[in-house]
Amino acid sequence: MLNVLIISDEAKELYELFKSVRFARQDSKQKGDLSGNNSVNLSKYDIAFLDLNTMGWQQRLLELRQLMPVIAFSKPDIKMAVESMKLGASDFLEKPLASEILSDVISRHRKKFLGHKYGFDEIIGTSKLMQEVFSLIKKAAVSESNVLITGESGTGKEPVAKAIHKWSPRDKKPFMTINCSAIPDTLLESELFGFEKGSFTGANYTKKGLVEIASGGTLFFDEIGDVSPLFQTKVLRMLQEGEIMRIGGAHHIKVDVRIISASNKDLMSECKKGTFRDDLFYRLNVINIHLPPLRERLEDVPLLVEHFINKHAPKRKDMLIRGISDEALNVLIKCSYPGNVRELENIIERTISFTNSPEILVSDFPSYLLQSPSQKRSFTPRLKEELAALEKELIWSALQESRGNISKAAASLGIFRQQLQRKIKKLKIAT
Ligand SMILES: Nc1ncnc2c1ncn2[C@@H]1O[C@H](COP(=O)(O)OP(=O)(O)OP(=O)(O)O)[C@@H](O)[C@H]1O
Ligand SMILES: [Mg+2]
């Protein structure tokens, strides 16, 4: 059940109304008028309902929205509704509040917070480490600060970025992903900032850049650790000045975006090496969310396996895959997953395509999973080579499955076409 905070001079009556829709917790401390009661422990609440017809509501709204979604309500008043939304209210309701409307708005928020028993949206985990990540996501969602998501490849940085946006007051505005390593320096400015018609040969129309398109929403710089010095300078300038100019443009355009970045590199040591600007690093890394590798939270494996079976089983049209045998699950709980959750998902997806039984069995697994621990990949000094070998193996089978179609293979691996092309070249994979 959600813990609902009601701030209103009519809190007593409202509490009865919330109780009738069975959302307010039966907690004697919550009964009665909470307005003006500053001793309330705010951190235990999931959502707040703030009456705008109470004194000092603006200040309260600004405080509360740092901690939880705030639903504003008042007598019909468009000006107030707009002001509250501008200050960060997640929704506005008109008085008198009706139980159906309350049910509807709370259900929507309940879905956001409790969409999954053990996680948020698409991000699953029962481990303590992941519970910490969830609480950071919650905090990041209600704040306006920039967020840097770090973690090894395949730990789920992208779904975390999307979840932060989805739960933020910006959720009705765009979420734009910029795959940093896919934009060459020559196209950087036109992609990010756009151009005016006639500004260069071939500019036959005015084009908005990604930053402008994301206005009011969130800009996700994926793989920020891979960008060139020029890219870094351009982004830093944008953050410092809070405005951009289209190529060939005559005036500045104010930027209203929240930046979330992700990197599988340790950006702090990149700064020390001088390959990443530390002034940019500090601006991006206001809130850091570090995603732990799967091998440090193997207790998440059973739930992830169940999640991926449900996700991929419908692809088998000829057979209903119901689950996994205990023995097979045991094998999966003992793996070390250099490719993290992505590797686990890949194993499940592949196994589902090849199995001949409604239950996944040990015999369905690729042979490398079944080697004895001493034969298994070790993480010690040769991690890089081992990762490259695994990457090569996964790319090779994806290419085989797609019969050499790079776009399809990239989609099945969950990466961009250009990234796959680069990896093919780097790993010298014959296509
Ligand atoms: N906790 C999780 N619950 C459910 N799915 C997850 C989880 N973590 C990762 N995934 C899934 O694993 C896959 C890999 O995640 P993602 O692409 O976000 O990795 P990444 O951290 O961005 O890696 P890279 O640095 O290689 O880009 C995705 O399909 C994602 O949905
Ligand atoms: Mg990624």
Side-chain angles (χ1 to χ4, degrees):
M1 189 169 272
L2 286 186
N3 278 338
V4 182
L5 175 65
I6 308 162
I7 298 185
S8 166
D9 294 338
E10 300 145 28
K12 216 167 192 167
E13 296 79 31
L14 287 171
Y15 181 71
E16 294 304 318
L17 181 66
F18 276 86
K19 243 173 49 182
S20 73
V21 281
R22 300 188 44 234
F23 279 115
R25 216 173 61 145
Q26 300 276 359
D27 176 348
S28 60
K29 276 191 223 124
Q30 279 184 61
K31 282 188 185 167
D33 188 349
L34 286 172
S35 68
N37 182 356
N38 288 324
S39 63
V40 177
N41 173 12
L42 292 176
S43 65
K44 70 176 187 180
Y45 294 101
D46 300 304
I47 187 166
F49 280 76
L50 175 64
D51 190 339
L52 305 189
N53 304 119
T54 49
M55 289 284 285
W57 66 267
Q58 289 95 337
Q59 186 57 33
R60 274 183 191 279
L61 176 51
L62 289 172
E63 282 161 22
L64 289 170
R65 50 157 289 207
Q66 301 292 329
L67 302 163
M68 64 192 101
V70 182
I71 314 298
F73 64 99
S74 79
K75 291 176 193 149
D77 184 336
I78 294 183
K79 240 175 94 190
M80 247 181 178
V82 172
E83 192 184 351
S84 67
M85 296 300 273
K86 275 193 181 156
L87 289 175
S90 301
D91 241 313
F92 174 83
L93 305 176
E94 282 185 1
K95 277 190 194 173
L97 298 180
S99 52
E100 307 82 65
I101 295 175
L102 279 185
S103 295
D104 178 56
V105 76
I106 295 181
S107 298
R108 264 190 284 130
H109 283 272
R110 175 199 277 277
K111 247 184 229 153
K112 281 186 182 180
F113 279 89
L114 309 171
H116 196 282
K117 205 163 140 205
Y118 299 113
F120 288 163
D121 299 323
E122 289 295 298
I123 321 148
I124 317 259
T126 46
S127 61
K128 195 156 173 285
L129 287 173
M130 283 311 281
Q131 299 306 315
E132 280 163 21
V133 167
F134 295 152
S135 106
L136 275 175
I137 294 176
K138 227 171 162 180
K139 288 204 179 97
V142 287
S143 128
E144 276 288 291
S145 307
N146 291 340
V147 182
L148 176 66
I149 308 168
T150 50
E152 287 178 14
S153 190
T155 44
K157 295 185 283 296
E158 194 166 338
V160 167
K162 285 186 178 151
I164 295 173
H165 171 75
K166 197 169 151 193
W167 301 349
S168 75
R170 294 175 173 267
D171 69 332
K172 290 186 188 69
K173 293 290 171 67
F175 174 89
M176 295 295 303
T177 298
I178 298 185
N179 180 28
C180 299
S181 57
I183 304 182
D185 274 358
T186 44
L187 294 180
L188 187 60
E189 270 191 276
S190 69
E191 285 294 303
L192 288 187
F193 309 137
F195 52 78
E196 295 287 344
K197 185 175 175 182
S199 54
F200 52 84
T201 328
N204 302 325
Y205 54 94
T206 295
K207 185 189 149 201
K208 280 187 184 176
L210 293 167
V211 176
E212 216 179 319
I213 296 172
S215 187
T218 304
L219 205 52
F220 175 44
F221 284 117
D222 200 6
E223 304 193 34
I224 189 80
D226 296 342
V227 303
S228 67
L230 180 70
F231 195 118
Q232 294 178 34
T233 310
K234 296 276 176 203
V235 173
L236 180 66
R237 195 170 304 154
M238 172 181 95
L239 293 177
Q240 281 169 338
E241 290 167 10
E243 31 182 52
I244 53 159
M245 203 188 299
R246 294 184 192 148
I247 299 174
H251 59 272
H252 288 100
I253 301 167
K254 246 190 132 20
V255 174
D256 171 23
V257 285
R258 187 241 278 248
I259 311 276
I260 303 181
S261 334
S263 174
N264 54 22
K265 289 188 177 159
D266 175 1
L267 288 188
M268 186 86 102
S269 63
E270 297 295 317
C271 287
K272 281 186 193 133
K273 276 194 270 171
T275 49
F276 202 84
R277 293 183 68 129
D278 47 10
D279 40 7
L280 178 59
F281 171 69
Y282 290 117
R283 278 193 179 256
L284 298 177
N285 189 37
V286 181
I287 298 178
N288 175 235
I289 300 186
H290 181 71
L291 299 181
L294 188 54
R295 64 181 174 280
E296 286 176 13
R297 49 184 174 100
L298 288 170
E299 63 268 42
D300 286 342
V301 168
L303 199 68
L304 284 166
V305 168
E306 187 191 321
H307 172 72
F308 292 134
I309 293 178
N310 291 336
K311 180 171 166 189
H312 296 293
K315 291 183 187 162
R316 275 294 288 264
K317 304 291 176 213
D318 58 331
M319 191 187 284
L320 183 66
I321 312 282
R322 288 202 197 89
I324 182 163
S325 73
D326 289 348
E327 200 192 347
L329 187 58
N330 249 331
V331 171
L332 293 180
I333 290 169
K334 296 200 176 87
C335 292
S336 43
Y337 302 106
N340 291 298
V341 185
R342 182 182 289 127
E343 182 182 356
L344 176 61
E345 177 166 7
N346 211 289
I347 292 169
I348 299 292
E349 187 179 3
R350 189 167 306 274
T351 310
I352 284 176
S353 332
F354 294 123
T355 186
N356 288 319
S357 95
E359 192 178 59
I360 294 174
L361 302 172
V362 173
S363 53
D364 296 322
F365 287 146
S367 56
Y368 79 88
L369 281 185
L370 306 172
Q371 289 162 356
S372 69
S374 59
Q375 290 169 290
K376 269 193 185 163
R377 300 182 167 85
S378 76
F379 276 96
T380 33
R382 294 178 52 246
L383 178 65
K384 224 173 166 178
E385 290 84 346
E386 294 292 331
L387 281 176
L390 175 76
E391 212 174 21
K392 206 167 171 174
E393 191 181 312
L394 294 176
I395 292 175
W396 173 240
S397 19
L399 282 167
Q400 282 208 316
E401 262 176 37
S402 72
R403 302 213 167 87
N405 183 322
I406 295 193
S407 303
K408 271 193 194 159
S412 80
L413 290 164
I415 59 176
F416 287 93
R417 194 172 177 276
Q418 295 94 325
Q419 274 174 294
L420 181 57
Q421 276 171 327
R422 236 172 298 132
K423 284 182 191 293
I424 290 173
K425 221 163 140 188
K426 192 171 130 204
L427 298 165
K428 299 195 177 67
I429 299 171
T431 50

